[in-house]
Amino acid sequence: LQVLAYNRHTYETVTQHLIITIIPAPGGEPPYQGEFLVGNRNVEELLPKATQEIFLQATADVWEQDDLHVINITSALDRGGRVPLPIEGRKEGVYVKVGSHGAFSSCLASAASPQSRFRCSLGQQPLANCYDTFAPQFSIRWCNLTLLQIWPSPVTPGPTWGSGVLEEGGDFQPPTEAAPQDLLPGFLVTLLVPLAVALLLCLLLGHLMCCRREGV
């Protein structure tokens, strides 16, 4: 992985190559995943481990689960967000996806319900029947909350491979030979049709050039 970073103030760039080894999670992919939009942070502010732990503690109080962990962190600019104005305190916004093996709490379910989405479309506050434990460190835009429930896909058994050695006494049965085909009609069509078209074009061109001259 090649990481290219730049300084916001001096625009200096730094390149670093990272070797990342990806291994499956011990408990598998968490079936319950929630994505939060943090409006008052930039993506680099949520990369430190300590900041993520604080975010997970606030999420645990709302989710009512303890086995939470961060799955993905994405800048809002990569999801179609606008570049913030050059005003002090404006941030890009960060999408943080958190996973758990426990079900969503009633607070999260109500915040992502169709009734809450309808209130957001009217410019009203979404439905949330619990205390916002993210404030004031993290400003969560609850209208952008996304809850996903991922079910494990069934594993299709693969083919059973043998030893590759013919058993003693067995006879090899070759595949049935294909019946001989008559290729002459196809050959004639492929050859005669272009020749006939070329002959017609030659006759038409000769007629136009020889019989359509002025005074003839």
Side-chain angles (χ1 to χ4, degrees):
L1 178 65
Q2 181 180 3
V3 181
L4 179 63
Y6 75 96
N7 191 314
R8 295 176 181 272
H9 305 286
T10 63
Y11 296 99
E12 296 180 356
T13 59
V14 177
T15 304
Q16 184 177 1
H17 293 272
L18 298 179
I19 299 178
I20 301 176
T21 303
I22 301 176
I23 58 176
E29 186 178 9
Y32 297 93
Q33 299 180 7
E35 190 173 55
F36 303 85
L37 175 57
V38 185
N40 63 337
R41 296 281 180 156
N42 292 327
V43 63
E44 65 271 11
E45 298 176 353
L46 277 171
L47 293 180
K49 193 67 176 179
T51 307
Q52 295 183 22
E53 292 295 336
I54 298 175
F55 184 85
L56 289 177
Q57 291 177 5
T59 309
D61 295 336
V62 176
W63 199 317
E64 299 177 359
Q65 298 291 339
D66 297 330
D67 62 334
L68 303 176
H69 64 275
V70 177
I71 298 177
N72 186 29
I73 298 177
T74 307
S75 173
L77 299 181
D78 297 334
R79 305 282 290 272
R82 296 182 177 180
V83 178
L85 297 175
I87 303 177
E88 185 179 359
R90 296 294 181 93
K91 302 292 184 178
E92 298 174 355
V94 185
Y95 284 93
V96 183
K97 182 179 290 187
V98 180
S100 173
H101 287 82
F104 302 113
S105 63
S106 58
C107 174
L108 295 179
S110 61
S113 62
Q115 296 81 4
S116 180
R117 302 294 186 192
F118 179 72
R119 291 174 60 91
C120 289
S121 64
L122 299 178
Q124 303 177 4
Q125 292 294 329
L127 298 176
N129 54 7
C130 60
Y131 178 72
D132 187 359
T133 58
F134 293 95
Q137 293 89 348
F138 307 101
S139 176
I140 303 298
R141 298 179 182 176
W142 292 100
C143 288
N144 297 89
L145 175 66
T146 302
L147 301 180
L148 301 175
Q149 189 170 356
I150 301 176
W151 300 101
S153 57
V155 179
T156 304
T160 303
W161 300 99
S163 61
V165 180
L166 186 65
E167 297 181 359
E168 184 178 0
D171 296 330
F172 174 70
Q173 299 294 336
T176 304
E177 296 183 359
Q181 299 180 0
D182 188 7
L183 303 179
L184 181 60
F187 171 74
L188 294 178
V189 171
T190 305
L191 182 62
L192 295 180
V193 171
L195 291 177
V197 174
L199 180 60
L200 291 176
L201 292 177
C202 291
L203 293 176
L204 178 61
L205 182 60
H207 174 72
L208 294 177
M209 295 182 65
C210 299
C211 300
R212 293 294 179 176
R213 299 177 62 186
E214 184 178 357
V216 178

